[in-house]
Amino acid sequence: MTTIQFPDKLKWGAATASYQIEGAAKEGGRTASIWDVFSHTPGNVKNGDHGDHACNSYHMYKEDVQHLKELGVDLYRFSISWSRVIPDGTGELNPEGVEYYRNLVQELIDNGIEPMITLYHWDLPQVLQEKGGWENRETTEAFLAYANAMFQEFGGQVKKWLTINEPWCASFLSNYLGIHAPGKTSLQAAVDVSHHLLLAHGKAVQSFRDLVPDGEIGYAPNVGWLEPYSPNQEDIDACKRGMMWQKEWFMDPVFKGTYPETLVKLFAEHDATLNMEEGDLEIISQPIDMMGINYYTGSLGRYKEDGGLFQVEEIALDERRTDIDWPIYSEGFYKTLTDLHQTYGDVPIYITENGACYNHGVEEDGKVHDKERVDYLKQHLTALNRAMEAGVPIVGYIVWSLLDNFEWAEGYEKRFGIIHVNFETFERTRKDSYYWYKDTVKNHKFER
Ligand SMILES: CCOCCOc1ccc(-c2cn(C[C@@H]3NC[C@@H](O)[C@H]3O)nn2)cc1
């Protein structure tokens, strides 16, 4: 057996997001988000699932906090539903909506858990979508007003903030590939959305400096690793192009104040222009205090002439898959983290999401034996440990997710939680992985 030991200063956490767990979609003054509309549109989500009730956390947050307390984590990462706190998208705050999050923040603090708030985890108010959504540059101002209101409401108690979760998913997966809300298939729309998300991020960071001067703020891009299928230059270049879409496109503007020219040209060749205004990149490249990284999977990448926008095809390393059919590639996690450190320097990194989909149910013994999830976490935490030993400044690890929840277009069938949720009764059942994670957090180590 080998002991994987972590430094005591590493923070441990668990994560969720508003539309995926809250439910109460039409309660407490909340109005529709783009995910309400998208999930209620037939054909968009498996089994016709939607977030009307989700995990019922709007009514069960106290129980959720008890699970977190007994888990022993330092941090709970959750997101605010913009349309719950500002139902019209702009203008008046909804007192009931603000009260829900004030109660949640207080419950966390009373139980010794530090809140980490994500401002935008994909649930844009539908009212704003009807005015063009993120394609409309004005939405960056609406986001700034929303962020300022949240900074003023919660900045006294909440010191860790993330602006945008997985901007690649919120722009290209949602507006070019059409797989997430609003389900558009326009490359121009996706390029506009990606720029406006980054601009909104930069505006919020600027304002945060005044409103929460003792806080730390960042954003949470997702990255998948592509390893060249062969040493052929065409495969190496194909992997670089494929990763650029999630990595350089969303990180160069923030850390270097530029977009990668290769992609600007490639998008232009496909009639999608990058529409910026003077001063945008100065706003976007506001210094941030930390970066969240969401990592799940990776694969081999091989040049393919007709391989889509980036002329790359993804080939799984081997047959190991999770139950959402994503390859298991913990070495890719290590390579992602060391690559980011070499490219972008010593920005402190929180792993804001890492976890696995395994769809185990509750057995006759009343337990959930998700050994595969424990194995996935062991492999990826081992890779994380190696990256830390290689000098990558990782300051926190936040598992996705605390609860089984609404996994977007996959619905409730795909379970990422360390706690099982019965979506009829909302009963929570701690999985074997919950107890393994609890022990790892307590001892800052595990055996493998
Ligand atoms: C190129 C073609 O690709 C087709 C599918 O493409 C993707 C990519 C990525 C995802 C994806 C899902 N998740 C998990 C969530 N992260 C945030 C949190 O809310 C979790 O629920 N991360 N990435 C889905 C689909």
Side-chain angles (χ1 to χ4, degrees):
M1 296 292 268
T2 307
T3 299
I4 307 295
Q5 179 81 46
F6 296 92
D8 289 351
K9 67 180 188 308
L10 182 73
K11 299 281 187 188
W12 297 85
T16 65
S18 46
Y19 189 73
Q20 296 181 270
I21 69 159
E22 286 180 8
K26 297 185 176 69
E27 295 181 47
R30 180 183 180 279
T31 60
S33 73
I34 58 175
W35 267 97
D36 296 87
V37 173
F38 187 77
S39 63
H40 280 282
T41 304
N44 284 340
V45 179
K46 277 208 181 124
N47 308 315
D49 288 344
H50 49 69
D52 285 6
H53 306 293
C55 305
N56 195 37
S57 286
Y58 182 77
H59 296 293
M60 296 177 71
Y61 71 91
K62 290 194 176 183
E63 179 182 333
D64 293 345
V65 173
Q66 283 312 302
H67 288 299
L68 285 159
K69 182 180 182 181
E70 290 173 37
L71 187 59
V73 291
D74 307 292
L75 297 169
Y76 177 47
R77 178 189 175 220
F78 64 95
S79 76
I80 290 178
S81 161
W82 184 345
S83 65
R84 191 178 289 286
V85 294
I86 306 180
D88 294 336
T90 55
E92 294 297 306
L93 282 177
N94 166 29
E96 270 190 279
V98 172
E99 186 186 14
Y100 167 66
Y101 295 106
R102 190 174 291 124
N103 290 340
L104 173 57
V105 165
Q106 195 57 57
E107 192 74 15
L108 288 165
I109 291 168
D110 291 349
N111 284 279
I113 300 159
E114 184 176 3
M116 175 188 268
I117 288 180
T118 305
L119 284 164
Y120 188 70
H121 203 121
W122 306 353
D123 41 358
L124 183 73
Q126 180 59 24
V127 169
L128 294 177
Q129 185 61 32
E130 286 160 8
K131 297 175 186 171
W134 284 110
E135 288 181 69
N136 178 356
R137 186 183 170 92
E138 286 309 304
T139 303
T140 66
E141 285 299 311
F143 177 81
L144 176 59
Y146 156 59
N148 285 344
M150 296 302 101
F151 294 155
Q152 285 160 331
E153 283 295 333
F154 302 111
Q157 291 181 298
V158 180
K159 302 302 178 188
K160 289 179 172 57
W161 294 76
L162 297 162
T163 53
I164 309 288
N165 185 69
E166 298 188 352
W168 179 84
C169 288
S171 52
F172 290 101
L173 186 63
S174 306
N175 293 278
Y176 174 55
L177 298 176
I179 294 169
H180 281 190
K184 296 191 74 164
T185 52
S186 155
L187 185 60
Q188 183 61 65
V191 170
D192 289 340
V193 167
S194 68
H195 179 64
H196 293 152
L197 285 169
L198 288 175
L199 184 58
H201 158 83
K203 289 181 175 182
V205 171
Q206 273 183 320
S207 185
F208 184 80
R209 297 300 176 218
D210 297 328
L211 295 176
V212 193
D214 59 342
E216 54 182 286
I217 192 166
Y219 68 141
N222 59 299
V223 183
W225 186 258
L226 285 179
E227 185 67 20
Y229 179 79
S230 80
N232 294 340
Q233 196 57 45
E234 62 182 12
D235 288 347
I236 293 168
D237 293 346
C239 288
K240 282 181 180 167
R241 281 195 305 273
M243 285 199 288
M244 207 177 268
W245 200 11
Q246 291 180 339
K247 206 157 50 92
E248 285 85 351
W249 187 260
F250 291 101
M251 295 182 197
D252 281 11
V254 172
F255 293 104
K256 298 181 176 177
T258 58
Y259 278 97
E261 205 45 48
T262 310
L263 280 200
V264 174
K265 286 183 182 144
L266 188 144
F267 290 148
E269 286 160 9
H270 292 80
D271 303 323
T273 51
L274 174 57
N275 304 305
M276 288 194 287
E277 292 187 11
E278 186 64 33
D280 283 1
L281 283 167
E282 285 67 33
I283 294 169
I284 291 170
S285 58
Q286 288 297 310
I288 55 177
D289 308 298
M290 44 87 166
M291 174 160 67
I293 289 295
N294 296 356
Y295 178 90
Y296 289 92
T297 185
S299 55
L300 300 176
R302 181 166 64 184
Y303 172 72
K304 188 168 187 248
E305 191 174 357
D306 59 350
L309 213 51
F310 300 94
Q311 295 186 301
V312 62
E313 63 174 335
E314 296 186 13
I315 297 162
L317 285 94
D318 54 39
E319 70 294 336
R320 293 176 307 141
R321 294 276 198 298
T322 64
D323 285 350
I324 198 168
D325 204 31
W326 294 351
I328 298 170
Y329 189 21
S330 57
E331 183 62 15
F333 193 23
Y334 171 79
K335 293 196 172 186
T336 297
L337 293 169
T338 48
D339 172 83
L340 292 175
H341 185 217
Q342 283 154 16
T343 311
Y344 299 108
D346 285 335
V347 57
I349 292 175
Y350 284 89
I351 306 304
T352 35
E353 288 179 31
N354 175 246
C357 171
Y358 287 105
N359 304 325
H360 301 83
V362 179
E363 304 284 348
E364 284 184 9
D365 63 3
K367 299 182 190 309
V368 182
H369 302 302
D370 57 337
K371 178 186 179 305
E372 297 84 349
R373 177 174 285 103
V374 174
D375 289 345
Y376 176 98
L377 292 175
K378 282 184 177 179
Q379 292 171 57
H380 287 75
L381 282 168
T382 299
L384 181 104
N385 192 268
R386 281 178 53 218
M388 293 177 78
E389 286 171 352
V392 182
I394 296 158
V395 293
Y397 176 86
I398 302 173
V399 70
W400 183 268
S401 176
L402 175 70
L403 301 170
D404 292 338
N405 59 55
F406 177 77
E407 177 49 37
W408 309 112
E410 299 291 339
Y412 295 104
E413 196 180 276
K414 299 292 191 282
R415 295 174 176 270
F416 277 85
I418 58 173
I419 296 175
H420 179 277
V421 176
N422 178 317
F423 292 105
E424 271 78 51
T425 66
F426 305 118
E427 183 182 10
R428 278 88 161 125
T429 304
R430 295 171 179 178
K431 302 181 186 178
D432 292 354
S433 56
Y434 173 98
Y435 296 103
W436 177 86
Y437 192 60
K438 174 185 169 84
D439 192 54
T440 301
V441 168
K442 181 183 175 196
N443 298 311
H444 286 268
K445 66 179 177 182
F446 63 86
E447 305 296 329
R448 62 173 304 220

